[in-house]
Amino acid sequence: MDMKVQYTSITIAAVLRSVATQASLELALAPTMSLRAHVANDFDLTTLRSLHGDVIFLDIDTTNARQMRNLALFMSEAETGPVVVTSSNLDVASMREFMRIGLADVLPQPFVGGDVANALQTASGRRPVAAITPTNDDDRHRGSVVSF
């Protein structure tokens, strides 16, 4: 049985750390998806606020505390739309931090098959979720994880 996914037209605004990542992303997109990418080693909150698209796609260095902090602040803003993050250096600690700040879609690099297009499609239909981390990043007020 041949199951084909129908992708909607999505505009992706991206900040990527390398031209190679941009090329990989372009290859992974569905034909109905358009990319507006900016290649930079770093980004600030102003850069993130200037991104406009159906989905924001960020290539982040999880070892860069400034990038992680700017991402957390960006996610805490009410007008932030769907965000998908990718990184070549994901680990358990960074994944936990992404969950704390309200990110639902995180993709490892290198990209695998249809994962990118599926994540972007899913994110475009998702309503933004308020971040758990307060803007003052006080560790005493972080959310807790409940497991059954």
Side-chain angles (χ1 to χ4, degrees):
M1 184 174 186
D2 189 17
M3 302 272 298
K4 293 196 178 193
V5 177
Q6 294 292 329
Y7 295 107
T8 58
S9 178
I10 299 171
T11 300
I12 298 102
V15 175
L16 305 168
R17 290 189 289 160
S18 72
V19 174
T21 302
Q22 180 178 357
S24 295
L25 179 58
E26 288 171 348
L27 288 173
L29 294 178
T32 58
M33 297 177 180
S34 62
L35 177 64
R36 291 191 310 245
H38 173 72
V39 176
N41 283 333
D42 204 2
F43 56 82
D44 58 16
L45 196 53
T46 303
T47 301
L48 295 179
R49 288 177 179 150
S50 71
L51 296 173
H52 298 288
D54 299 314
V55 178
I56 306 300
F57 191 90
L58 300 174
D59 182 6
I60 190 165
D61 178 1
T62 60
T63 63
N64 184 323
R66 183 171 171 255
Q67 285 185 12
M68 294 295 282
R69 178 75 178 148
N70 285 331
L71 178 61
L73 290 170
F74 182 65
M75 291 298 296
S76 70
E77 295 178 352
E79 62 275 357
T80 298
V83 177
V84 176
V85 167
T86 186
S87 183
S88 59
N89 55 345
L90 291 173
D91 59 12
V92 173
S94 59
M95 292 298 293
R96 290 180 67 215
E97 186 61 25
F98 289 146
M99 288 188 308
R100 281 188 190 111
I101 64 175
L103 272 168
D105 298 291
V106 180
L107 294 170
Q109 291 177 24
F111 302 131
V112 177
D115 289 352
V116 174
N118 291 335
L120 292 167
Q121 181 72 37
T122 302
S124 71
R126 185 177 296 118
R127 303 289 302 156
V129 177
I132 295 171
T133 305
T135 56
N136 67 0
D137 202 21
D138 184 351
D139 283 345
R140 296 173 294 139
H141 296 103
R142 292 200 182 233
S144 56
V145 175
V146 178
S147 176
F148 295 97

